[in-house]
Amino acid sequence: MREGVFLNNSVIITHIFSNIDIIDPRFGGSRVINEQVRFLKRKRVDVKVLSLENIGSLASIYYKFLNQLRRKKPAIMVKKSNVLFKIFHWYITVVTLLLGEIITQFDIFFKHKLKRLLKKMSPSVIFHHTPFGCIPFIRITQSLRIPLVVVSHNIECIFFLQINPYTRKIPLAKKLLNIIGRIEFSCYKRATHVIFLSSIDRKLAVNLGVPREKTSSLVPIDINRKHSIRKEQTIPSEKKKLQVGFVGSESYANVLTVMYLCKLAKKLPPNIEFMIFGSVAEVFKSVKIPQNVILKGYVKDLYKDLATCDVFINNKFLPNTGIEAKMLDYIVFNKPIITTPRGARGFRRFKNVIVVNSLKEIEKLLLDLYARKVESKNK
């Protein structure tokens, strides 16, 4: 049950983001949903997207508040000395996630409106992104006899364990992670089917008791969208300059990545420029960075700006779960993508994906690509 699980006549995709974020994604999670919508429409499937914030209930108000907070929250620089803030931020994130789960499960108006809405729309299958907020869906879809497919972007309990190593030895943190894990795997086991974006996540879930026959590993990629890129969007970067593109939100992992790129930029020739797109750039606007690191931030037409880059980078080393949504933007262009084995998950089949096993290899590759470009411009 791989691609066939998508090919139904009428599909509803449910999620906890705002629908605005799906149309114009600024986060990895919403970017994946955007790609699935493209994928299904390419297969001529009737697709409707439903945000939990639009159901109309206490749970909806809560998710709407979280989404507004996500879009407007100030960027904060992650420093080694700021350990207490990292721990505090981790607890706030985990607690708000669990609070949303409690509200969703006990909001009777939410359940009533959701059931009435799904009965009226009568889809052949529902895809629910993230296991959280899923329990009401399981009960309602079972009563309506509608298959429920949970799409797991990453295994959440592992994600929260790895993004902040400072919490591992704190007893309360372990208890919270245990609760998250129980909720998550309860949803996986009770859903009709579970799609893991990472094959590693699927293997782990199966080892932890999720029936293998009701799982699959698949990244829904609309390959044909690369043909819609206009010719003027494929212009090369400035003569004798190598422009390296990186896209990311202000997540902890992306901040660490840009910190590394800043260190790398100091070692490389000034004509190797690092173009930083997305909200992660906001984190570094008040920080002294090398001149060859250019903070582009959020841009209206991302593909037009990415088209000027010669190469893309995705040096993911943590967390060891999920996929990197930025790769969905990189593969649109037939240009080299330098990535780690973790960053390449779900994308190894693309010929322009170059997998490296160390940070030293990234430096060497960039110097080699720069030398080739200079040589070609001199001819």
Side-chain angles (χ1 to χ4, degrees):
M1 192 175 183
R2 284 179 61 80
E3 187 173 293
V5 78
F6 286 98
L7 305 182
N8 288 274
N9 296 326
S10 176
V11 166
I12 293 179
I13 296 175
T14 58
H15 59 90
I16 62 174
F17 297 97
S18 166
N19 280 337
I20 297 172
D21 295 326
I22 307 305
I23 297 168
D24 183 19
R26 299 191 184 194
F27 314 100
S30 56
R31 180 65 186 84
V32 170
I33 299 170
N34 174 279
E35 192 69 17
Q36 188 192 12
V37 173
R38 290 171 180 265
F39 177 88
L40 290 171
K41 286 185 176 180
R42 181 71 63 177
K43 299 290 183 179
R44 301 184 184 278
V45 176
D46 178 25
V47 186
K48 293 181 176 63
V49 181
L50 178 63
S51 169
L52 298 195
E53 73 169 34
N54 294 331
I55 302 296
S57 63
L58 178 62
S60 299
I61 294 171
Y62 182 78
Y63 284 118
K64 188 174 289 186
F65 168 75
L66 285 186
N67 289 327
Q68 289 179 348
L69 193 64
R70 184 188 291 115
R71 287 193 296 271
K72 296 178 180 179
K73 69 179 181 180
I76 301 171
M77 182 60 190
V78 178
K79 297 181 179 179
K80 289 183 179 179
S81 59
N82 203 1
V83 175
L84 288 177
F85 175 78
K86 290 180 188 177
I87 295 174
F88 174 75
H89 183 265
W90 185 92
Y91 275 107
I92 291 295
T93 305
V94 171
V95 169
T96 52
L97 185 68
L98 291 175
L99 182 59
E101 185 69 17
I102 293 169
I103 293 173
T104 304
Q105 289 198 41
F106 290 96
D107 187 347
I108 57 175
F109 296 104
F110 174 81
K111 295 175 186 177
H112 175 72
K113 290 185 177 183
L114 179 62
K115 185 173 183 177
R116 189 172 59 182
L117 186 61
L118 294 179
K119 193 173 182 179
K120 182 180 178 180
M121 299 174 80
S122 189
S124 54
V125 65
I126 295 173
F127 290 90
H128 184 68
H129 284 255
T130 156
F132 293 96
C134 190
I135 297 297
F137 278 91
I138 292 173
R139 293 168 182 161
I140 292 169
T141 53
Q142 284 176 347
S143 68
L144 296 176
R145 296 185 178 181
I146 302 172
L148 176 67
V149 179
V150 174
V151 182
S152 174
H153 295 200
N154 44 239
I155 295 182
E156 299 290 347
C157 53
I158 292 178
F159 176 81
F160 282 110
L161 175 66
Q162 294 184 352
I163 59 170
N164 195 336
Y166 300 104
T167 59
R168 293 181 184 180
K169 296 181 180 180
I170 302 175
L172 179 58
K174 291 180 180 179
K175 289 181 180 180
L176 290 173
L177 286 173
N178 186 41
I179 294 171
I180 286 177
R182 287 186 178 186
I183 294 171
E184 183 173 14
F185 278 86
S186 173
C187 291
Y188 292 155
K189 291 173 183 178
R190 296 170 63 186
T192 308
H193 192 81
V194 186
I195 295 175
F196 294 95
L197 301 184
S198 165
S199 59
I200 302 295
D201 290 351
R202 183 195 180 193
K203 290 178 183 177
L204 179 58
V206 170
N207 289 338
L208 291 174
V210 180
R212 183 178 181 81
E213 63 273 11
K214 65 186 293 183
T215 67
S216 60
S217 176
L218 176 66
V219 181
I221 302 174
D222 176 22
I223 301 294
N224 292 318
R225 81 187 186 286
K226 64 174 64 178
H227 299 302
S228 66
I229 300 299
R230 300 187 299 273
K231 287 184 179 180
E232 63 267 26
Q233 288 185 328
T234 59
I235 53 174
S237 66
E238 193 176 335
K239 186 177 180 181
K240 292 187 180 180
K241 279 191 176 184
L242 185 80
Q243 292 191 333
V244 185
F246 177 81
V247 180
S249 63
E250 72 271 29
S251 69
Y252 179 65
N254 285 331
V255 171
L256 289 181
T257 295
V258 176
M259 288 173 71
Y260 163 73
L261 294 180
C262 288
K263 290 179 181 178
L264 180 60
K266 294 177 182 178
K267 301 179 183 179
L268 297 173
N271 278 357
I272 298 180
E273 295 180 338
F274 292 89
M275 319 293 286
I276 312 299
F277 298 94
S279 57
V280 69
E282 301 296 324
V283 178
F284 293 85
K285 284 196 171 178
S286 59
V287 179
K288 187 176 180 180
I289 57 174
Q291 290 186 345
N292 53 337
V293 176
I294 301 168
L295 303 176
K296 301 290 285 186
Y298 173 76
V299 292
K300 192 171 183 180
D301 190 344
L302 178 62
Y303 284 178
K304 185 175 181 179
D305 284 81
L306 287 181
T308 64
C309 296
D310 301 287
V311 59
F312 304 107
I313 195 163
N314 176 27
N315 51 319
K316 174 181 179 176
F317 286 93
L318 62 86
N320 188 22
T321 179
I323 65 164
E324 285 293 282
K326 58 177 65 67
M327 294 288 282
L328 294 168
D329 296 314
Y330 294 169
I331 61 172
V332 171
F333 308 93
N334 189 26
K335 297 180 180 181
I337 303 170
I338 301 174
T339 181
T340 59
R342 291 182 182 179
R345 286 176 185 171
F347 301 94
R348 280 181 177 266
R349 66 184 183 275
F350 294 95
K351 294 180 180 179
N352 53 326
V353 172
I354 305 169
V355 181
V356 297
N357 294 302
S358 69
L359 298 177
K360 265 291 181 187
E361 286 184 67
I362 295 176
E363 183 179 344
K364 185 178 178 182
L365 262 173
L366 290 176
L367 286 170
D368 183 50
L369 289 169
Y370 173 61
R372 284 190 216 171
K373 182 167 186 181
V374 171
E375 185 180 348
S376 66
K377 293 292 182 183
N378 288 334
K379 288 183 180 179

